[in-house]
Amino acid sequence: MAVPGLRVVEHELDVPLDHAAPDGAAITLFAREVSAVGGEGRPHLLFLQGGPGQEATRPVGAPLTSGWMARALRDFRLVLLDQRGTGRSTPVGDLPGMTPQQQADHLAHLRADSIVRDAELLREALGVERWALLGQSFGGFCATTYLSLAPQSLSAVHITGGLPAVGVHPDEVYAATWAQMRLLSARHHERYPQDLERLRDLHAHLATHDLRTTAGDRVTGRTLRAAGHSLGMSDGSDVLHALLERPVGSPAFRADAADPLGLARNPLYLLVHEACMADGATTAWSAERTRPDDFRDVADGGDPALLSGEHLGDWLLDPERGGVGALAPVAEAARLLAQREWPRLYDPSALDGVARGSDGVPVAAAVYVDDPYVLLDHSRATASLMGARTWVTDELLHNGLRADGDRVLSRLFDMTSGRL
């Protein structure tokens, strides 16, 4: 692959779908190795992207490469892994020809533990003794699992907005995220006070009108509330305001309001999201069960001013309640996964002090005070367990790596190298 100003090598590797059954079904793993011209001998940095269910960032030619990637390439050569089920790795969509139980069993192998074991096979195939990690959001969850399973393979770990709650039930996690969304909703209305009346009018309109996309997906008060997902990003209020100011009958409003979480493009975000929060638990639609009363539907007494975030539920599988029709082929599998008893993702004994001492793995994390997806208190507790160094800031939100990547990575690299 030719990209101006960069050296790019593509890799494909067959890996077991189930690492506990190495002779069973196989899937393909895809990764790009990216270096600056002249930087081909630099140490490797594996990038684990956010999600779950999103492919790795694609490199674009210098000087247009994103800020964080340009900064990383000054010190490293990047390995951009399309996590299993995404991008050019064997993708997951409808899973045709399988029963719901077979679909659920397949999807159960898409959590961080399997992604880490894929990465270990890739590292060995590339002949790398130890590499550094950069984990953004869900990628930080994967990095923490990596520290649990194979710390001996890591030279340093950098996490941005992704220090997970270790040993905490998903109910506690989601309850805290609802509280954070209440705060961010209030801040949005301070920035755009006219949106409060607009939301009231829209909720009233949707209660009496059947508004649908051309594909048949229905816009409801609950999907409208889910548009608050963007508030976790630095430009999120502006994105939300741009949606709310559109005419209600316009194709743009209907398309964006019917699927604000992008599930038609990225079904894995719904299918395995709560499972990736389950450090030894059954989720049973945890986000929906912990929904506070004032976040309920407006017709049931909910507050129209409040917006939700990473809060997924069974309702997203029902088109009449605002669900996404594209999820119909895997709806029953999603329900089975919600009742599954998940094994642990993190080993507290392995993580305890993993970053301390001369033989530890240096770990540095950017923790965003107002992050509604990965909570400050949970991140601090996990950092304390590991002995990780943290940069706690309220200057950035969850997309800090994209918004100010040069500054974020320079800070973290200085922390793990001992320069700071």
Side-chain angles (χ1 to χ4, degrees):
M1 176 180 177
V3 178
L6 301 175
R7 294 284 185 264
V8 181
V9 181
E10 297 185 344
H11 302 281
E12 284 192 350
L13 182 69
D14 288 337
V15 299
L17 172 64
D18 180 358
H19 284 278
D23 297 327
I27 58 174
T28 298
L29 196 67
F30 174 81
R32 285 189 175 93
E33 191 175 356
V34 182
S35 59
V37 174
E40 297 86 351
R42 291 172 183 156
H44 290 81
L45 175 70
L46 173 67
F47 176 59
L48 296 166
Q49 76 275 11
Q54 296 176 9
E55 66 271 23
T57 305
R58 269 37 189 169
V60 295
L64 300 177
T65 288
S66 65
W68 76 261
M69 194 178 291
R71 175 63 189 88
L73 290 172
R74 298 210 302 266
D75 288 12
F76 295 95
R77 50 180 149 165
L78 275 169
V79 179
L80 303 173
L81 170 64
D82 282 351
Q83 295 167 9
R84 53 173 49 205
T86 76
R88 284 178 56 184
S89 295
T90 301
V92 171
D94 295 347
L95 295 175
M98 297 185 186
T99 66
Q101 186 62 61
Q102 290 170 331
Q103 291 174 332
D105 291 343
H106 184 105
L107 292 164
H109 298 299
L110 298 180
R111 296 204 307 164
D113 45 3
S114 295
I115 292 168
V116 166
R117 292 183 173 96
D118 288 345
E120 277 292 89
L121 292 178
L122 177 63
R123 181 188 60 80
E124 293 170 1
L126 296 180
V128 178
E129 182 177 356
R130 301 175 78 192
W131 57 13
L133 302 182
L134 170 58
Q136 157 64 17
S137 186
F138 171 67
F141 292 23
C142 295
T144 305
T145 299
Y146 216 138
L147 284 163
S148 291
L149 295 178
Q152 71 281 356
S153 300
L154 305 176
S155 58
V157 175
H158 314 87
I159 295 174
T160 56
L163 274 176
V166 174
V168 177
H169 195 279
D171 286 5
E172 182 178 338
V173 174
Y174 285 111
T177 62
W178 283 115
Q180 189 65 19
M181 284 307 300
R182 186 178 284 107
L183 170 66
L184 293 183
S185 296
R187 289 187 182 175
H188 174 77
H189 295 307
E190 291 175 4
R191 182 179 178 90
Y192 289 109
Q194 65 270 41
D195 283 358
L196 181 54
E197 189 61 33
R198 176 63 169 160
L199 280 166
R200 289 194 181 105
D201 291 343
L202 285 169
H203 277 284
H205 180 86
L206 294 172
T208 57
H209 292 75
D210 188 4
L211 186 67
R212 297 179 185 263
T213 67
T214 54
D217 288 339
R218 187 180 180 191
V219 184
T220 68
R222 192 162 289 201
T223 59
L224 180 65
R225 202 185 288 285
H229 180 269
S230 66
L231 295 180
M233 310 300 175
S234 56
D235 59 350
S237 273
D238 306 313
V239 171
L240 176 61
H241 176 70
L243 168 65
L244 295 178
E245 71 175 1
R246 295 176 194 145
V248 68
S250 68
F253 177 84
R254 285 181 290 161
D256 291 348
D259 187 13
L261 300 172
L263 300 179
R265 181 198 185 275
N266 184 19
L268 290 182
Y269 185 69
L270 169 72
L271 293 169
V272 297
H273 185 274
E274 290 202 349
C276 292
M277 297 284 191
D279 187 21
T282 296
T283 62
W285 302 113
S286 180
E288 186 61 23
R289 288 187 297 98
T290 58
R291 182 187 290 264
D293 287 342
D294 51 353
F295 279 90
R296 300 288 176 185
D297 293 343
V298 173
D300 296 329
D303 185 347
L306 295 176
L307 298 139
S308 58
E310 274 193 332
H311 300 109
L312 302 108
D314 186 83
W315 66 274
L316 284 162
L317 305 172
D318 181 356
E320 293 307 306
R321 298 168 65 197
V324 178
L327 297 173
V330 288
E332 290 308 312
R335 294 185 175 106
L336 290 170
L337 290 173
Q339 302 307 320
R340 200 179 191 99
E341 180 69 30
W342 294 101
R344 297 208 64 171
L345 287 164
Y346 315 114
D347 181 351
S349 62
L351 292 175
D352 189 5
V354 70
R356 296 188 183 99
S358 58
D359 58 347
V361 181
V363 180
V367 179
Y368 308 124
V369 171
D370 297 320
D371 194 330
Y373 316 128
V374 183
L375 281 301
L376 172 64
D377 289 347
H378 296 154
S379 296
R380 278 179 156 163
T382 299
S384 178
L385 171 67
M386 295 192 298
R389 301 186 66 186
T390 58
W391 173 35
V392 181
T393 177
D394 62 0
E395 297 178 49
L396 299 165
L397 277 167
H398 191 71
N399 64 331
L401 186 65
R402 292 198 306 272
D404 200 357
D406 190 295
R407 181 163 67 114
V408 170
L409 284 194
S410 291
R411 180 88 176 224
L412 297 186
F413 290 166
D414 284 348
M415 291 166 78
T416 57
S417 68
R419 294 190 295 266
L420 181 63

